[in-house]
Amino acid sequence: MGLPYGGAKGGIKCEPWKMSIGELERMTRRYTAEIINLIGPDKDIPAPDMYTNEQTMAWIMDTYSVNVGHTVPSVVTGKPVSIGGSLGRQEATGRGVAFCVKKAIKHYVLDGQSPSIVVQGFGNVGSVTAKLLHESGHKVVGVSDVFGGIHNANGIDIPRLLAYVSEMGKVEGFTGSKAVTNQQLLELPCDVLIPAALGNQITSENVQNMRCKIIVEGANSPVEPEADLWLHKNGIVVVPDVLANAGGVTVSYFEWVQGMMHLFWTEAEVNGRLEEIMNRACEQVFELSSKSGLRPRMAALRIGVSKLAEAKRLRGLYP
């Protein structure tokens, strides 16, 4: 993506859905106190991931700020807008996935005026992706969450489904659709499959049942390495997570920049800059993949590693 960011994961092993707000706050603040020497606006900048949200980021920012004696908005990203967060951050990952889907459909020239989409995972990423693709005229034929999935070959009314989920808490039981399991959902016939839930969903055991043309990884590592090789050999394109779900970290970068400058952008500016970066990255990866015969995953990694290698060569080794 060309961002001046590294990347890492860290967290706490717990069951947050069983915890009260007070328990979550005390745990988050204690965790922040434990790692406080490792984080900072010029060191390591946490952002929300699974079972964390803008409230979690607000607690981390406040704990850090109290310890250094002044407010430091850029110590985290994904904060509430009212305390220095960026407009467009909450939808950024899903929006980036949607941009990638559109570029992939265009590059690989799928037939039909309304390509069919299946989305596994209807959380923050999957629901935003489904909503944006539906608005663009794409036909979302399958959706699932942790409780199960639904399928309608003629297309699901995503705005109605969003309203239903906000009331019922799950997609299961939505009228005008057929119930399917998460495994059945992955194997539905479609143009584009978007696994946007957990890792290791497409494995060597179920990969031969895939009936899609393109897979766009909305989650982290949803396709196992062996399955990735099989898909490539059998002509199913996999748009890798390092590219497809990078919208979140890109707008996190925007939020960090805005916080450092104390100058905030409109949502249209944020979305426009995100689209420009995502489109450029997609074009580079798809073009290299097509020319070299590399899987898109390897093409993306070659581009990324070559940038690091060039920077290392130019800077040299000292002392």
Side-chain angles (χ1 to χ4, degrees):
M1 306 307 292
L3 309 179
Y5 262 15
K9 294 285 181 183
I12 305 166
K13 185 176 181 181
C14 63
E15 297 179 313
W17 56 91
K18 294 182 179 178
M19 299 169 69
S20 69
I21 292 293
E23 288 170 331
L24 289 169
E25 179 177 358
R26 290 192 294 276
M27 180 179 70
T28 302
R29 289 185 183 275
R30 179 57 192 249
Y31 179 66
T32 306
E34 294 284 355
I35 65 169
I36 202 158
N37 291 327
L38 304 175
I39 63 174
D42 295 309
K43 288 184 180 180
D44 193 299
I45 303 152
D49 206 291
M50 289 181 63
Y51 296 111
T52 56
N53 53 30
E54 59 181 23
Q55 177 61 78
T56 316
M57 297 302 108
W59 289 329
I60 295 175
M61 187 197 89
D62 183 69
T63 306
Y64 182 88
S65 298
V66 166
N67 275 270
V68 299
H70 60 93
T71 301
V72 187
S74 292
V75 69
V76 294
T77 62
K79 304 178 295 296
V81 173
S82 58
I83 57 170
S86 175
L87 294 168
R89 174 62 183 85
Q90 194 165 4
E91 291 189 333
T93 306
R95 189 176 295 278
V97 173
F99 287 148
C100 272
V101 169
K102 293 174 188 175
K103 292 296 287 187
I105 287 171
K106 184 176 180 181
H107 182 84
Y108 294 103
V109 196
L110 294 187
D111 297 330
Q113 296 299 310
S114 179
S116 56
I117 312 288
V118 167
V119 181
Q120 184 203 34
F122 206 64
N124 181 49
V125 177
S127 63
V128 170
T129 302
K131 172 176 172 284
L132 293 172
L133 291 174
H134 177 83
E135 289 172 356
S136 300
H138 298 75
K139 184 168 65 174
V140 180
V141 298
V143 169
S144 73
D145 56 24
V146 68
F147 302 105
I150 57 173
H151 173 232
N152 183 339
N154 296 317
I156 297 167
D157 187 335
I158 297 300
R160 275 189 59 233
L161 178 60
L162 287 165
Y164 175 84
V165 170
S166 69
E167 183 178 345
M168 304 302 293
K170 55 184 179 180
V171 302
E172 202 174 43
F174 182 65
T175 55
S177 62
K178 181 178 72 173
V180 293
T181 65
N182 255 301
Q183 189 55 53
Q184 289 170 332
L185 183 104
L186 291 172
E187 298 169 6
L188 290 172
C190 61
D191 291 311
V192 181
L193 171 64
I194 305 169
L198 299 172
N200 303 323
Q201 296 300 294
I202 300 172
T203 68
S204 55
E205 294 180 3
N206 66 2
V207 68
Q208 295 184 29
N209 300 327
M210 297 297 114
R211 292 191 283 170
C212 56
K213 298 171 183 173
I214 296 174
I215 295 174
V216 179
E217 293 185 323
N220 292 323
S221 305
V223 180
E224 287 189 344
E226 297 81 4
D228 197 52
L229 287 168
W230 188 93
L231 291 164
H232 179 66
K233 288 175 184 175
N234 287 272
I236 299 175
V237 176
V238 180
V239 181
D241 49 5
V242 71
L243 169 65
N245 67 36
V249 72
T250 301
V251 177
S252 275
Y253 163 61
F254 294 166
E255 183 177 329
W256 174 74
V257 168
Q258 292 170 78
M260 295 293 276
M261 293 192 305
H262 301 287
L263 176 66
F264 294 91
W265 306 337
T266 65
E267 188 165 0
E269 286 178 300
V270 170
N271 292 340
R273 291 172 192 262
L274 173 62
E275 184 172 14
E276 181 183 344
I277 288 177
M278 292 295 302
N279 286 347
R280 182 175 68 232
C282 284
E283 286 167 6
Q284 289 174 344
V285 170
F286 296 157
E287 185 177 345
L288 177 58
S289 176
S290 296
K291 284 182 178 178
S292 64
L294 290 169
R295 288 175 283 154
R297 187 182 313 281
M298 301 311 294
L301 292 175
R302 177 181 285 187
I303 291 168
V305 172
S306 67
K307 289 178 181 178
L308 296 176
E310 176 68 1
K312 184 64 180 173
R313 184 186 68 80
L314 290 168
R315 290 183 63 166
L317 183 65
Y318 174 83

